[in-house]
Amino acid sequence: MKLLLLFTLVACVVYLTESKALVCYYSSKAVYRPEPFKYEVEDNDPFLCTHLNYAFAGLGEDFTIKVLDPRNDLCDDGGKCGFDRFTRLKEQNPELKTLLSVGGASEESSRYSMMAEDPATRKIFIDSTLKLLKEHKFDGIDLDWEYPTKKGGSPDDYVNFVTLLREFSEALHPEGMILTAAVSAGKNTIDPAYDVPGMSKYLDLINLMTYNFHGNWEKYTHHRSILYAHPKDEGRALTLNQDYAVNYWIEKGAPKEKLVLGLPFHAHTYTLDSAAETGIYAPASNPGPSEGGYNQICASQMTEDWTIVHEPDMNEPYGYYGLNWFAYEDSISLGIKAKYAVDKGLAGCMVWSIDADDFHGTCYGKPRPLLNAINDALNL
């Protein structure tokens, strides 16, 4: 009886302390930012994320995987060896998984659609990807096709994307590699683009891009990654929040233990029409200043006369100075969202992108306040 009780207690402790995934995208373009925002591969802390995704590789016209920045990514001809330096972070933390993310918003969806429709071109893409992953000791691939059936894609992508995932799974999993995907959180994309049960069979993690719900393409202010619907939301806007997206993916058949809640470290900006209206749904006919990372936001808050607002009906802050209006996340809002992921039973959280945190600790004296807040809430 005592042994049974001890086993039960140990099992409970293991269950309660089971770590959650924290998937961190690293934008390799961050090496080209001016100081103090320039971010090198070695600026990644290999102990704060469970998965680090190198963004991005692409798809070539010949349907092979394409290295988008050979000078930065490869060692050839005096290159900076970004891929190899990235995967060597595992020497500090052998538990870390390093993945190569393929796609992104700049890639042509139509090319991925053409590749996915033909068994021969799928094989070219998969074989070349596996070869590149092995050469640079990546642990797997993250597919960021934005989006099947959209932006020049074909209705057949709905089926072909699952076929592509199945064939990738058959190639990667026997090699001990993992397969993940970054997917839309918008209902208008989810419905035509994703056979959710089919995808879920082959993906190890499903990274929900639960951000960019709103932006300066609209003529009013709103938050890009609001957790719950705002009281003023109505109609389609009621679907443009993280809680709705998570529940909809689960309703469509995604296992919640594979879903990863996406959290942005970047802001969306607007130019207010009038300084007299500054809240959510304030008129804003024009884009704001160039959108930056949290590190740029908090640096600006130290030099400009910002008004920062935490509405009682929102978990996220927004701020403004003059007619410049910013929707962003801080350590408090991200901690709330990470706890939501835990309470919901999700696999964990995803960050786009790790290089936008205040990694120097310039603003409040503590490096990486956003990433540490997520870690604290996930109990990593």
Side-chain angles (χ1 to χ4, degrees):
M1 179 63 71
K2 289 182 178 179
L3 285 175
L4 178 60
L5 179 60
L6 179 60
F7 176 83
T8 302
L9 289 173
V10 169
C12 289
V13 170
V14 170
Y15 173 78
L16 291 172
T17 60
E18 182 181 358
S19 64
K20 293 291 185 179
L22 180 47
V23 179
C24 300
Y25 283 86
Y26 160 63
S27 174
S28 61
K29 292 182 179 179
V31 300
Y32 299 114
R33 294 177 189 153
E35 296 289 0
F37 307 116
K38 180 179 180 180
Y39 193 97
E40 296 279 2
V41 167
E42 289 74 22
D43 288 316
N44 290 295
D45 186 326
F47 293 95
L48 290 180
C49 305
T50 61
H51 302 68
L52 275 174
N53 291 2
Y54 192 106
F56 288 106
L59 178 63
E61 293 184 3
D62 61 355
F63 302 113
T64 63
I65 192 169
K66 182 179 181 180
V67 178
L68 297 178
D69 188 356
R71 174 71 176 171
N72 184 53
D73 299 339
L74 303 179
C75 298
D76 303 343
D77 300 320
K80 296 180 65 177
C81 305
F83 285 171
D84 293 344
R85 290 159 55 210
F86 187 76
T87 58
R88 279 202 299 268
L89 292 169
K90 292 181 290 186
E91 294 175 2
Q92 300 176 57
N93 178 12
E95 299 299 316
L96 177 67
K97 300 297 183 184
T98 56
L99 285 78
L100 181 59
S101 189
V102 181
S106 298
E107 285 279 284
E108 296 179 14
S109 177
S110 58
R111 187 176 301 157
Y112 287 80
S113 181
M114 287 187 288
M115 175 272 296
E117 72 180 359
D118 188 308
T121 51
R122 289 197 305 268
K123 180 172 173 52
I124 291 171
F125 180 47
I126 293 169
D127 288 350
S128 64
T129 297
L130 187 60
K131 181 175 182 290
L132 187 68
L133 297 178
K134 287 182 175 181
E135 284 178 359
H136 299 284
K137 300 181 181 179
F138 283 100
D139 295 305
I141 187 173
D142 173 70
L143 288 176
D144 187 6
W145 175 0
E146 300 186 18
Y147 299 101
T149 74
K150 297 284 188 173
K151 300 180 181 179
S154 162
D156 293 336
D157 296 343
Y158 183 86
V159 173
N160 294 338
F161 187 42
V162 175
T163 303
L164 178 66
L165 294 177
R166 175 178 58 79
E167 293 175 355
F168 252 122
S169 172
E170 291 169 352
L172 293 175
H173 286 152
E175 299 287 342
M177 295 182 181
I178 60 178
L179 175 63
T180 70
V183 298
S184 174
K187 184 179 185 301
N188 286 359
T189 298
I190 296 168
D191 287 342
Y194 301 130
D195 172 359
V196 175
M199 293 167 53
S200 300
K201 292 179 185 177
Y202 306 112
L203 289 170
D204 297 298
L205 291 173
I206 304 171
N207 297 318
L208 302 184
M209 292 188 279
T210 36
Y211 40 77
N212 296 347
F213 290 120
H214 297 277
N216 53 33
W217 54 88
E218 299 165 328
K219 301 302 180 183
Y220 52 83
T221 60
H222 210 302
H223 206 281
R224 68 177 304 188
S225 50
I226 196 164
L227 180 56
Y228 298 106
H230 191 272
K232 293 182 180 179
D233 287 344
E234 56 186 30
R236 178 172 176 264
L238 293 171
T239 72
L240 301 177
N241 60 80
Q242 294 180 323
D243 180 60
Y244 181 93
V246 167
N247 287 326
Y248 194 63
W249 268 90
I250 294 172
E251 178 187 323
K252 295 279 283 187
K256 61 183 180 180
E257 63 272 13
K258 288 189 176 184
L259 290 178
V260 182
L261 182 71
L263 306 174
F265 282 9
H266 291 75
H268 265 171
T269 68
Y270 304 78
T271 297
L272 297 168
D273 289 354
S274 168
E277 293 186 73
T278 58
I280 299 292
Y281 283 106
S285 302
N286 296 299
S290 61
E291 299 178 357
Y294 175 78
N295 48 9
Q296 295 167 289
I297 294 293
C298 70
S300 173
Q301 290 174 349
M302 297 173 68
T303 59
E304 302 288 348
D305 185 21
W306 277 63
T307 298
I308 300 173
V309 180
H310 290 84
E311 284 191 14
D313 295 316
M314 295 175 60
N315 292 290
E316 306 80 10
Y318 61 85
Y320 56 89
Y321 66 92
L323 295 178
N324 302 310
W325 197 98
F326 301 78
Y328 66 102
E329 301 279 355
D330 60 13
S331 57
I332 296 173
S333 67
L334 292 175
I336 291 171
K337 291 173 180 181
K339 186 177 185 303
Y340 167 91
V342 172
D343 292 344
K344 197 76 175 177
L346 306 185
C349 292
M350 173 267 280
V351 167
W352 175 266
S353 58
I354 191 174
D355 43 272
D357 203 349
D358 180 20
F359 56 96
H360 290 307
T362 302
C363 298
Y364 303 107
K366 181 181 178 182
R368 307 181 192 277
L370 302 187
L371 200 59
N372 279 298
I374 298 169
N375 263 288
D376 290 344
L378 293 178
N379 293 314
L380 288 177

